[in-house]
Structures are given as structure tokens and as C-alpha cells.
Amino acid sequence: NAGVTQTPKFRVLKTGQSMTLLCAQDMNHEYMYWYRQDPGMGLRLIHYSVGEGTTAKGEVPDGYNVSRLKKQNFLLGLESAAPSQTSVYFCASSYQGGGNIQYFGAGTRLSVL
Amino acid sequence: SQQGEEDPQALSIQEGENATMNCSYKTSINNLQWYRQNSGRGLVHLILIRSNEREKHSGRLRVTLDTSKKSSSLLITASRAADTASYFCATAPSGTYKYIFGTGTRLKVLA
């Protein structure tokens, strides 16, 4: 019972490099979310998806792109990384109904130098 | 701007004492959720209270919701060292999936 799995767990990038963070869930959830968490702050929503093939912008979408080609996967891309994107990234999923209780992955710690 | 704001930002208590933390939000909501985050880990859902509920219990947790004041409180009774964590409230404006988390309350329970 894996739940929500994020890869990689850690990554160091140089300014301008690109990368993709992968989130996979095995609970057949409709909704998936990407958040970032900065020191002393709560989570801020980057992008979310309400179903396969759909994506929508959250609170802080600039500099990120997402794709949901398969129901179980939600990818977060950084096309040209900037130091301001140094953060811990969390993926979550939830099922329709039940109040959208979210199940979180363990996080990806990203440093951009 | 943050939909949810918790206070206090930090709380330190002795084992066995009760811990109360508060959350305020800004728009109408369908429900409010509380999550716990242990250091370096992902968030774990604790309890959900719907907008038509005023109080809810789950084990040592008691949550209240006052929609007229747009506020909620989380009470942890008989706290344990294992309750040491950060606690966040989360809401989404009615009709949206844009969940917004507060800045959190860092709880430290001293053995």
C-alpha cells in the first residue's frame, strides 16, 4: 500500500536547468495537487488537477508547468530553475466526495544554486 | 494572501496538558480540515469538520467551527511527547478546489 510516492526525494539544480518531479498515487484518486512549502510558511498551491487530462493554476503557478496524462501520475516541471524555487515540494491526492481529504507524499527537497 | 491563519505560531506545553490552537479564514467554505506535519515529513490528515457542524471529536482531538466568525479551534487533550509537530488548518473557498493552508502552529510537548 504505497499511497502517494514522490520522486526524487532530493535534488540540487543550477540556475537555468530544468527538471521534472513525479508524483504517483495508487488509490485511484481523481484529484491531485502540487504544493510548495517554504521555511516558516504553510503550503502554497502551485497547480492542481481534477481528473486525467485536466490541470488548473493554483496560488503560485508562475515558473511551473504540470501534466496529468495518466490518472495515477501528476508531473511538475521547472523549465528554467531559479533560486526562488528552492523549496520543499509536496504532492497530494484526494477522492471526489468525502470532503476531499488529501493524502500527501513525503516531499521533494529542491535546492537551486 | 493566506486563507487560513493559525495562532499561536508556536506553543510549548508539558506532557498531560491540553493544547489549543486557532485558525481563521476569509471566505465561505464547505469544510475545514486540520493536518499534522512531523518534522521533515508530509502532512497527515487529522479531522474534517463540515460547514454545518459546530463541533467534532476524534479520540483526543476536539474541533470547533464558528462560520459567523470564520474561525476554528483544535484542542488536543492530555498531550503526549509524540504530539510534537506542526498543525495546519486547510480550507477551500466554496465551489473551488484551491486549498489554502495556514502558516501553522508549532507544538512542542515536553516530557
Side-chain angles (χ1 to χ4, degrees), chain A residues 6 11 16 30-31 48 51-52 60 67 70 83-84 89 105 110:
Chain A
Q6 291 183 231
R11 186 73 186 268
E30 289 291 334
Y31 306 150
Y48 64 100
E52 182 179 318
V60 288
S67 65
K70 294 183 178 180
S84 61
Y89 292 86
L110 175 66

Side-chain angles (χ1 to χ4, degrees), chain B residues 8-89:
Chain B
Q9 290 187 343
L11 181 60
S12 185
I13 59 174
Q14 295 292 325
E15 206 167 30
E17 294 181 336
N18 296 342
T20 300
M21 51 204 84
N22 304 295
C23 167
S24 61
Y25 58 94
K26 296 180 179 178
T27 69
S28 61
I29 59 173
N30 292 327
N31 64 63
L32 183 143
Q33 303 179 32
W34 284 92
Y35 289 81
R36 182 187 73 216
Q37 183 181 34
N38 290 91
S39 182
R41 310 288 290 273
L43 279 71
V44 174
H45 180 262
L46 293 176
I47 193 166
L48 177 152
I49 186 166
R50 300 188 187 279
S51 59
N52 61 354
E53 297 175 311
R54 291 296 168 258
E55 185 171 314
K56 197 164 183 180
H57 296 253
S58 176
R60 294 185 295 112
L61 305 179
R62 173 178 165 252
V63 171
T64 62
L65 179 65
D66 186 337
T67 53
S68 66
K69 295 181 179 179
K70 292 185 170 58
S71 67
S72 173
S73 67
L74 171 67
L75 168 68
I76 304 173
T77 60
S79 62
R80 306 166 181 168
D83 294 328
T84 294
S86 292
Y87 293 82
F88 297 89
C89 66

Side-chain angles (χ1 to χ4, degrees), chain A residues 37-48:
Chain A
Q37 184 177 33
D38 299 297
M41 298 183 68
L43 276 70
R44 291 184 291 170
L45 182 64
I46 304 171
H47 287 281
Y48 64 100

Side-chain angles (χ1 to χ4, degrees), chain A residues 18-30:
Chain A
S18 63
M19 78 163 295
T20 299
L21 282 67
L22 172 62
C23 177
Q25 53 96 2
D26 62 1
M27 297 173 283
N28 201 35
H29 286 170
E30 289 291 334

Side-chain angles (χ1 to χ4, degrees), chain A residues 49-68:
Chain A
S49 168
V50 299
E52 182 179 318
T54 73
T55 63
K57 294 180 180 180
E59 188 184 0
V60 288
D62 294 342
Y64 305 95
N65 57 75
V66 288
S67 65
R68 182 107 182 263

Side-chain angles (χ1 to χ4, degrees), chain A:
Chain A
N1 188 9
V4 178
T5 303
Q6 291 183 231
T7 53
K9 289 184 170 50
F10 303 94
R11 186 73 186 268
V12 178
L13 289 179
K14 294 181 179 178
T15 297
Q17 287 184 320
S18 63
M19 78 163 295
T20 299
L21 282 67
L22 172 62
C23 177
Q25 53 96 2
D26 62 1
M27 297 173 283
N28 201 35
H29 286 170
E30 289 291 334
Y31 306 150
M32 296 187 76
Y33 313 82
W34 274 108
Y35 296 91
R36 61 177 288 173
Q37 184 177 33
D38 299 297
M41 298 183 68
L43 276 70
R44 291 184 291 170
L45 182 64
I46 304 171
H47 287 281
Y48 64 100
S49 168
V50 299
E52 182 179 318
T54 73
T55 63
K57 294 180 180 180
E59 188 184 0
V60 288
D62 294 342
Y64 305 95
N65 57 75
V66 288
S67 65
R68 182 107 182 263
L69 299 180
K70 294 183 178 180
K71 186 177 183 179
Q72 63 268 33
N73 295 337
F74 195 28
L75 278 63
L76 178 70
L78 286 73
E79 290 187 348
S80 180
S84 61
Q85 294 178 304
T86 293
S87 188
V88 181
Y89 292 86
F90 289 99
C91 175
S93 69
S94 66
Y95 58 93
Q96 191 173 11
N100 284 320
I101 293 172
Q102 296 182 49
Y103 296 80
F104 282 82
T108 295
R109 190 173 297 274
L110 175 66
S111 292
V112 182
L113 306 178

